[in-house]
């Protein structure tokens, strides 16, 4: 998405927010928060008062928390004071959350992205506590529950299952009322959580759209995804078995052998899939996924993901603000990257923790720099091993005879060589083109220098530094 498109989408989102506010918002913005909170006590003015309070809290949430908190307290009083107040508060807050979530989906956000950003904070908003994230997940489940199940991509439902977000409240009530009845902080906690979720969503910048958005999934997309997953699962089950052995062994050399074997299996499967697509003139292009990069030591973790991606003919762009990297590649390669990276995180963390802590000669801790350097070295070493395994599979495929019954190409080594290498080169170019189209403003920067020699040599006695493609949203400072 280009800079102009991002700016236009952001302007549209702000315009929608302004339209939702209306004249009541403009009047409230000019008045004192406490005077507004105490006015309009009659039942006939409850809905108007709730609207004024919500927009006042939203407007002042980041720069005047005293006023925002006073507005939230008054909302809680109205919600707990009787049916008219409760209905007015719940109707407006749930409607605004639905509206802004729908905008967020259109602008590239997915449920797991929202939860990750809420957990780490964004754009001046601190990390949300658990009860606020719970309200956010309720709002997500409520909004997506308005679509026909088949109209939402299966990966979105998988994300909701992973986050344990579901419509748990009775059908005759809303999630805010249901949660207020069980929350220790009652309506004050629930109204604060709803306002925190709303503030977060309103401030979200546009992202690159990945896959069909809610309402856009079709029978064709579902069939394609199901067929691809079925083809990959046979290979991935064998890969997971090898990676489980790598994770369970205490010997690093043995773990590397199992991991390299898993990479060889995935590389072989990728080659077969590429040749099959070429034989069938399959027009499906590169796809993309997002993979979370959690703290601490997120830079070397992003380097590790990049090393795994490159070994599988994929490209990554790290969005440090949001805590994820976007991986671009063809379907089988993306699934290989995700599976392998998950296992390597376990292996690298376990190996790092076995090393224990470190101190300087003066008794000061250097554990962080040691571990940072260790993980950088681990990523460098693993990247080389995975790339070697991939090259070996390509060489074997171009030099050896076709396997009986492969059904992809016919002829001897020369024929297979001539068929395979152009296909792989074309796929690599397609991935590069897709990445540049998605991230026209992408920059490259160093991914951190090694500052602890022991950590580096303990992890890998080679290399100096790695680089990462980094995407910074328009209007934001650098990472």
């Amino acid at each position: 998405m280009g800079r102009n498109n991002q700016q236009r989408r952001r302007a549209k989102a702000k315009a929608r927010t302004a339209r939702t506010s209306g004249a009541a918002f403009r009047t409230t913005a000019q008045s004192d928060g406490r005077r507004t909170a105490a006015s309009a006590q009659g039942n006939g003015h409850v809905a108007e008062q709730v609207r004024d309070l919500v927009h006042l809290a939203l407007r002042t949430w980041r720069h005047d928390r005293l006023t925002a908190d006073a507005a939230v307290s008054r909302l809680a009083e109205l919600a707990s004071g009787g049916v008219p107040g409760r209905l007015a508060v719940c109707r407006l807050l749930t409607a605004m959350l639905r509206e802004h979530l729908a905008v967020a989906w259109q602008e590239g956000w997915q449920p797991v992205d929202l939860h990750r950003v809420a957990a780490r904070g964004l754009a001046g908003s601190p990390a949300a506590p658990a009860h606020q994230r719970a309200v956010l997940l309720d709002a997500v489940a409520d909004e997506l529950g308005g679509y026909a199940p088949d109209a939402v991509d299966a990966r979105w439902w998988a994300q909701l299952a992973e986050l344990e977000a579901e419509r748990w409240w009775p059908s005759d009530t809303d999630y805010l009322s249901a949660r207020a009845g069980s929350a220790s902080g009652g309506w004050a906690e629930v109204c604060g959580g709803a306002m925190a979720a709303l503030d977060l969503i309103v401030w979200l910048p546009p992202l690159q759209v990945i896959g069909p958005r809610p309402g856009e999934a079709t029978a064709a997309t579902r069939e394609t995804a199901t067929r691809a997953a079925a083809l990959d699962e046979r290979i991935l089950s064998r890969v997971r078995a090898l990676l489980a052995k790598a994770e369970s062994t205490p010997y690093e050399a043995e773990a590397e052998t199992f991991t390299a074997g898993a990479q060889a299996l995935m590389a072989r499967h990728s080659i077969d899939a590429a040749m099959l697509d070429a034989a069938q003139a399959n027009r499906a292009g590169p796809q993309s996924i997002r993979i979370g990069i959690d703290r601490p030591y997120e830079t070397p973790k992003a380097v590790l993901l990049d090393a795994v991606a490159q070994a599988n003919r994929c490209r990554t762009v790290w969005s440090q603000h949001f805590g994820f990297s976007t991986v671009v590649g063809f379907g089988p390669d993306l699934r290989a990257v995700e599976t392998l990276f998950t296992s390597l995180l376990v292996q690298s963390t376990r190996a790092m923790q076995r090393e224990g802590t470190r101190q300087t000669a003066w008794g000061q801790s250097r554990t962080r720099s040691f571990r940072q350097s260790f993980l950088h070295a681990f990523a460098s070493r693993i990247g080389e091993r995975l790339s070697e395994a991939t090259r070996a599979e390509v060489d074997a495929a171009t030099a050896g005879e076709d396997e009986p019954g492969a059904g992809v190409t016919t002829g001897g080594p020369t024929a297979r060589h001539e068929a395979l290498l152009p296909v792989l080169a074309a796929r690599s170019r397609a991935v590069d083109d897709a990445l540049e189209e998605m991230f026209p403003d992408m920059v490259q920067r160093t991914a951190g220098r090694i500052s602890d020699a022991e950590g580096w040599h303990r992890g890998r006695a080679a290399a100096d530094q790695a680089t990462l493609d980094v995407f910074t949203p328009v209007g934001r400072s650098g990472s």
Side-chain angles (χ1 to χ4, degrees):
M1 182 189 303
R3 185 185 300 270
N4 291 336
N5 284 339
Q6 290 178 331
Q7 291 174 338
R8 282 196 294 270
R9 287 193 171 193
R10 184 179 296 179
K12 289 180 180 178
K14 290 181 178 178
R16 279 188 289 268
T17 301
R19 287 197 300 271
T20 305
S21 304
F25 175 70
R26 291 191 294 273
T27 301
T28 304
Q30 299 169 359
S31 63
D32 177 78
R34 296 174 181 82
R35 187 169 63 249
T36 302
S39 65
Q41 296 296 324
N43 287 343
H45 300 285
V46 169
E48 181 180 354
Q49 184 182 2
V50 168
R51 185 167 58 251
D52 288 354
L53 289 167
V54 168
H55 290 297
L56 174 63
L58 189 59
R59 184 176 185 274
T60 59
W61 191 262
R62 301 201 175 202
H63 68 275
D64 185 0
R65 285 306 296 270
L66 287 176
T67 300
D69 288 345
V72 170
S73 296
R74 181 58 184 147
L75 282 173
E77 291 176 7
L78 288 171
S80 59
V83 173
R86 178 177 61 81
L87 291 178
V89 169
C90 293
R91 284 172 179 169
L92 182 61
L93 287 178
T94 55
M96 291 184 69
L97 284 166
R98 285 193 201 104
E99 177 187 352
H100 288 288
L101 281 172
V103 173
W105 306 149
Q106 293 301 308
E107 295 188 337
W109 288 85
Q110 297 184 0
V112 72
D113 302 325
L114 288 179
H115 185 262
R116 186 181 297 115
V117 168
R120 63 189 284 133
L122 172 70
S125 177
H131 71 271
Q132 292 183 358
R133 296 199 299 273
V135 174
L136 174 62
L137 292 179
D138 288 346
V140 169
D142 175 64
E143 204 285 330
L144 291 178
Y147 297 90
D150 290 345
V152 179
D153 190 88
R155 287 170 292 188
W156 286 61
W157 297 126
Q159 289 183 21
L160 261 62
E162 176 186 348
L163 297 172
E164 298 182 351
E166 59 182 356
R167 295 177 63 92
W168 56 271
W169 55 94
S171 59
D172 60 347
T173 187
D174 60 90
Y175 58 90
L176 295 180
S177 299
R179 190 164 289 280
S182 59
S184 59
W187 277 107
E189 180 179 305
V190 169
C191 288
M195 288 307 309
L198 192 57
D199 171 80
L200 173 71
I201 300 167
V202 166
W203 278 88
L204 292 175
L207 292 181
Q208 290 67 34
V209 176
I210 291 179
R213 292 167 287 201
E216 296 179 353
T218 63
T221 59
R222 289 193 302 275
E223 182 181 354
T224 300
T226 302
R227 185 169 59 249
L231 290 172
D232 287 348
E233 187 56 37
R234 179 175 57 87
I235 299 297
L236 288 178
S237 63
R238 297 170 61 189
V239 167
R240 293 189 191 102
L242 284 172
L243 294 177
K245 293 180 180 179
E247 293 171 18
S248 62
T249 179
Y251 305 108
E252 291 186 23
E254 194 174 54
E256 288 185 8
T257 299
F258 286 129
T259 302
Q263 174 62 35
L265 267 178
M266 292 185 289
R268 198 176 311 146
H269 175 55
S270 175
I271 291 170
D272 290 342
M275 295 303 294
L276 185 61
D277 286 349
Q280 297 178 348
N282 191 337
R283 300 291 183 181
Q287 304 168 20
S288 52
I289 59 174
R290 296 191 187 111
I291 296 180
I293 306 292
D294 296 324
R295 297 166 177 157
Y297 314 117
E298 54 189 350
T299 298
K301 290 177 182 177
V303 172
L304 174 61
L305 176 58
D306 187 65
V308 175
Q310 290 189 41
N312 288 278
R313 285 182 289 276
C314 296
R315 294 281 305 277
T316 71
V317 177
W318 184 29
S319 298
Q320 185 177 7
H321 300 90
F322 308 132
F324 61 71
S325 281
T326 303
V327 188
V328 181
F330 284 83
D333 302 328
L334 291 177
R335 287 180 277 277
V337 169
E338 192 169 19
T339 301
L340 190 55
F341 175 67
T342 301
S343 174
L344 287 172
L345 271 183
V346 174
Q347 296 180 47
S348 62
T349 301
R350 185 189 61 204
M352 177 190 71
Q353 291 175 343
R354 277 203 304 263
E355 294 292 334
T357 59
R358 292 294 190 277
Q359 290 183 334
T360 66
W362 299 273
Q364 296 175 327
S365 174
R366 62 179 180 88
T367 300
R368 182 172 181 82
S369 62
F370 173 85
R371 290 181 170 179
Q372 193 97 357
S373 300
F374 182 95
L375 292 175
H376 269 291
F378 184 93
S380 174
R381 180 193 64 210
I382 285 295
E384 291 179 0
R385 291 294 303 273
L386 298 184
S387 295
E388 289 170 3
T390 299
R391 284 194 297 270
E393 287 303 315
V394 173
D395 291 343
T398 56
E401 297 285 346
D402 294 332
E403 295 181 5
V408 176
T409 59
T410 57
T414 302
R416 186 169 177 85
H417 179 275
E418 292 177 351
L420 175 60
L421 294 186
V423 168
L424 296 181
R427 287 168 83 92
S428 295
R429 286 194 301 271
V431 170
D432 291 341
D433 292 343
L435 187 87
E436 292 177 5
E437 183 179 354
M438 289 181 67
F439 298 93
D441 301 316
M442 178 182 64
V443 298
Q444 191 175 79
R445 68 172 175 83
T446 58
R449 295 185 177 275
I450 304 305
S451 58
D452 190 290
E454 184 194 6
W456 174 259
H457 288 293
R458 294 289 293 180
R460 171 71 167 90
D464 177 36
Q465 61 184 22
T467 61
L468 278 177
D469 290 327
V470 179
F471 174 68
T472 300
V474 173
R476 296 183 58 81
S477 59
S479 301

